Amino acid sequence: MRVTARVDYAVRSATELALEHPGTLTADTIAARQELPLAFTKQILSAMRRASLVQSHRGGEGGYRLLRPPEAVSVADIVRAVEGPLADVRGEAPETLEYPPSTQVLRPLWIATRASLRAVLETVTLADLAAGKLPRDVEAYTEVAGAWERR
């Protein structure tokens, strides 16, 4: 899986909102704290607003706030808000793909890939990130031999 800048910035922005919950933060503040481009941060916050993850308020006391408690927002929710489904193949859901007999095994491979992504990204919440900790079963993946090596 390739984690795009859009996903990385969205998770970082949402984590800032989780740290401030139930308060609000301006896009300027989020961008400054995370050293993100302001225009990109505004685009990301707008996508999260359309996905009903955040709410925006105008005015002097305006800004963005989470619509749900941090423990009720998973990283998967954020990824889906800014990039769409977790594991599409050529823009299609893996379960709808048809392959020739010699490569039919690819369909269950892509479905297994999606399930493994869900096992991590749907388990980790903004509350976990705000606390600086991962759930133990997710953290265990970082302890697997070779986990820290790029291949």
Side-chain angles (χ1 to χ4, degrees), residues 23-58:
T24 62
L25 289 175
T26 65
D28 293 26
T29 299
I30 294 167
R33 285 183 184 175
Q34 287 297 316
E35 301 175 1
L36 304 175
L38 178 58
F40 204 10
T41 302
K42 288 179 178 180
Q43 290 174 9
I44 288 164
L45 290 166
S46 181
M48 289 195 290
R49 183 184 49 77
R50 286 189 303 275
S52 299
L53 292 177
V54 302
Q55 184 177 43
S56 61
H57 300 278
R58 293 180 185 252

Side-chain angles (χ1 to χ4, degrees), residues 1-149:
M1 174 183 173
R2 183 174 169 266
V3 177
T4 64
R6 188 171 175 85
V7 167
D8 181 54
Y9 293 0
V11 173
R12 291 163 62 183
S13 297
T15 301
E16 285 294 336
L17 292 171
L19 288 164
E20 198 70 24
H21 186 74
T24 62
L25 289 175
T26 65
D28 293 26
T29 299
I30 294 167
R33 285 183 184 175
Q34 287 297 316
E35 301 175 1
L36 304 175
L38 178 58
F40 204 10
T41 302
K42 288 179 178 180
Q43 290 174 9
I44 288 164
L45 290 166
S46 181
M48 289 195 290
R49 183 184 49 77
R50 286 189 303 275
S52 299
L53 292 177
V54 302
Q55 184 177 43
S56 61
H57 300 278
R58 293 180 185 252
E61 298 295 317
Y64 293 86
R65 71 174 183 88
L66 291 175
L67 278 174
R68 298 183 298 205
E71 57 273 3
V73 181
S74 72
V75 173
D77 294 330
I78 298 161
V79 173
R80 289 182 185 114
V82 299
E83 290 285 350
L86 294 180
D88 276 0
V89 178
R90 302 181 321 267
E92 298 179 45
E95 64 274 12
T96 66
L97 298 174
E98 295 294 331
Y99 287 100
S102 62
T103 53
Q104 283 182 356
V105 71
L106 292 178
R107 186 171 150 189
L109 171 66
W110 304 141
I111 290 171
T113 300
R114 178 178 61 189
S116 67
L117 287 172
R118 285 177 177 169
V120 173
L121 300 178
E122 289 181 348
T123 303
V124 180
T125 68
L126 289 179
D128 296 322
L129 299 179
K133 295 182 180 182
L134 295 175
R136 181 67 195 125
D137 56 333
V138 172
E139 189 175 339
Y141 288 115
T142 68
E143 298 163 2
V144 173
W148 291 85
E149 297 170 18

